[in-house]
Amino acid sequence: MIEAGNIESNSLFELYTALQLPVDLFDLTAGFTIFNLNEIGFKLPFVSSSYRPNFFSFLFVGDGKGRYTIDDQTFEVVPHSIYFTNPSNYRTFSWNEINDIILITFDESFLKKYIGEDVYTDFPFLLTELVRPKVVSDDFFQDVKLINQQLLDTYLRHSPSKYKIIGHLLAVILFQIKEHIWQDYNPIYEGNRSSQIVISFKRLLEQHYRDLSAGKAEIAFRVQDYAFAQNLHPNYLSSVIKSKTGKNITTWISEKSLIEARSLLKNSTRSIKEITYKLGFTETAHFSNFFKKHTGLSPLRYRQSIQQSN
């Protein structure tokens, strides 16, 4: 095992770098990657350090054997299985055989930019803390394999429409998986009580910021609002979110607020004062400091740069 402690990774590139794996094949243009793992150069048998990803991943195992462990649950990865993970708890993985295994990773920004803002409504399984690997039929696996090959070919090309094409192909895979594997899946019923609290929080967070964007909500929720929605004490909700995801609940809210702030500055004519109030800040100066800390630009300068680029 590579001894690197508990690794926090925002991308597969960061994770593989920390695990001292080759990263020559990466295209760092967008938050998406696809590889056949037999091209990475794992020295088998391989066991990873514990890591927590800030990205989603799909594993399509045509021919290979390995194991994933999340919390206290371990899953065998066998031929013709599909395995999904999302930004969540610490985990480890190991490989004994790698012959034909496709790994796809993507982050939330990529999903929303190239598939749509309502991606979690269309694909609720993306929200879950834990999804067991699924062994699928030969016919279904071959259908998905053809799409994966198109994804891989597109990823290796240099094209101005590259990621738009990838977004469409990824959406096809997600719909295929939803229809054939998780048609009636509801993540709220997966896992233990703590997992259910986290999933409910994520769903409410996502829905609330969609409502803000659509004008159905006037002001951003505070921690106590999310706690009230689940009949929980704010301190208890905060402790569950922190222990299960590794991020404070205020960090989750701040990240969503930043995404919404960018969208409002780019796509609306609301004044910065109006945006300040809408996102729950008491003073424009507080909002400006928050936005500049995370983007390097003031809200006004960010809006001006968008207008100039257009």
Side-chain angles (χ1 to χ4, degrees):
M1 178 183 292
I2 302 295
E3 293 296 339
N6 288 338
I7 301 167
E8 301 275 353
S9 55
N10 290 314
S11 67
L12 188 67
F13 177 83
E14 287 186 10
L15 175 62
Y16 277 20
T17 299
L19 294 176
Q20 301 172 30
L21 291 166
V23 291
D24 300 343
L25 298 175
F26 280 78
D27 178 350
L28 301 179
T29 307
F32 176 92
T33 66
I34 178 170
F35 300 111
N36 195 318
L37 293 188
N38 63 13
E39 298 179 352
I40 296 297
F42 286 96
K43 294 180 180 179
L44 302 178
F46 181 90
V47 182
S48 77
S49 296
S50 176
Y51 71 98
R52 176 160 45 213
N54 195 25
F55 54 87
F56 301 86
S57 64
F58 272 104
L59 199 69
F60 300 88
V61 183
D63 186 10
K65 294 181 180 179
R67 177 178 295 179
Y68 271 78
T69 298
I70 302 177
D71 288 340
D72 58 350
Q73 300 199 49
T74 297
F75 304 107
E76 297 293 330
V77 181
V78 298
H80 280 200
S81 62
I82 297 177
Y83 189 65
F84 166 74
T85 63
N86 73 359
S88 186
N89 307 3
Y90 280 108
R91 61 199 61 183
T92 61
F93 66 87
S94 62
W95 292 114
N96 296 318
E97 295 181 19
I98 299 177
N99 298 311
D100 181 19
I101 301 176
I102 296 294
L103 174 64
I104 296 175
T105 73
F106 45 90
D107 59 24
E108 182 177 291
S109 296
F110 184 88
L111 280 176
K112 294 197 168 184
K113 181 175 182 179
Y114 293 106
I115 294 183
E117 291 292 325
D118 293 333
V119 65
Y120 297 123
T121 301
D122 289 331
F123 312 112
F125 59 86
L126 292 174
L127 286 172
T128 189
E129 290 269 297
L130 185 66
V131 176
R132 299 174 183 276
K134 305 288 183 179
V135 177
V136 299
S137 67
D138 292 351
D139 289 343
F140 179 68
F141 195 87
Q142 290 304 318
D143 288 344
V144 173
K145 186 174 182 178
L146 290 174
I147 304 171
N148 282 339
Q149 189 59 54
Q150 288 180 277
L151 273 169
L152 186 55
D153 292 343
T154 305
Y155 184 71
L156 296 176
R157 289 204 306 260
H158 296 286
S159 164
S161 302
K162 172 176 175 175
Y163 286 107
K164 290 182 179 179
I165 296 170
I166 285 174
H168 286 296
L169 291 171
L170 180 59
V172 171
I173 286 182
L174 292 175
F175 276 114
Q176 289 269 39
I177 287 174
K178 177 184 176 181
E179 180 176 338
H180 288 84
I181 300 177
W182 294 305
Q183 185 172 13
D184 300 319
Y185 179 76
N186 187 337
I188 199 66
Y189 301 118
E190 185 83 40
N192 57 31
R193 173 59 177 154
S194 293
S195 293
Q196 291 171 11
I197 289 172
V198 172
I199 294 162
S200 293
F201 166 70
K202 288 180 180 179
R203 296 182 77 176
L204 181 58
L205 183 72
E206 181 65 28
Q207 183 61 53
H208 178 60
Y209 276 86
R210 283 206 302 269
D211 289 346
L212 275 176
S213 181
K216 297 178 182 178
E218 290 298 321
I219 190 169
F221 279 172
R222 299 163 299 172
V223 173
Q224 49 264 48
D225 298 314
Y226 290 103
F228 178 78
Q230 295 197 58
N231 296 313
L232 300 172
H233 190 282
N235 291 345
Y236 179 69
L237 175 63
S238 298
S239 67
V240 170
I241 299 299
K242 173 64 176 177
S243 65
K244 292 291 288 182
T245 72
K247 290 195 295 189
N248 292 321
I249 190 170
T250 52
T251 302
W252 281 97
I253 296 171
S254 293
E255 288 175 351
K256 282 294 185 185
S257 293
L258 185 61
I259 292 171
E260 182 65 14
R262 284 174 167 153
S263 177
L264 289 169
L265 290 167
K266 180 179 179 181
N267 301 313
S268 80
T269 57
R270 288 187 176 91
S271 69
I272 292 173
K273 185 176 181 179
E274 288 177 300
I275 295 172
T276 296
Y277 170 77
K278 193 174 187 69
L279 294 181
F281 291 89
T282 56
E283 299 287 344
T284 302
H286 295 163
F287 170 59
S288 295
N289 290 337
F290 163 79
F291 192 84
K292 189 170 184 179
K293 176 183 176 181
H294 292 283
T295 67
L297 296 173
S298 68
L300 178 60
R301 185 69 191 94
Y302 178 81
R303 174 171 271 174
Q304 290 172 340
S305 68
I306 294 296
Q307 293 170 345
Q308 290 168 3
S309 66
N310 292 335

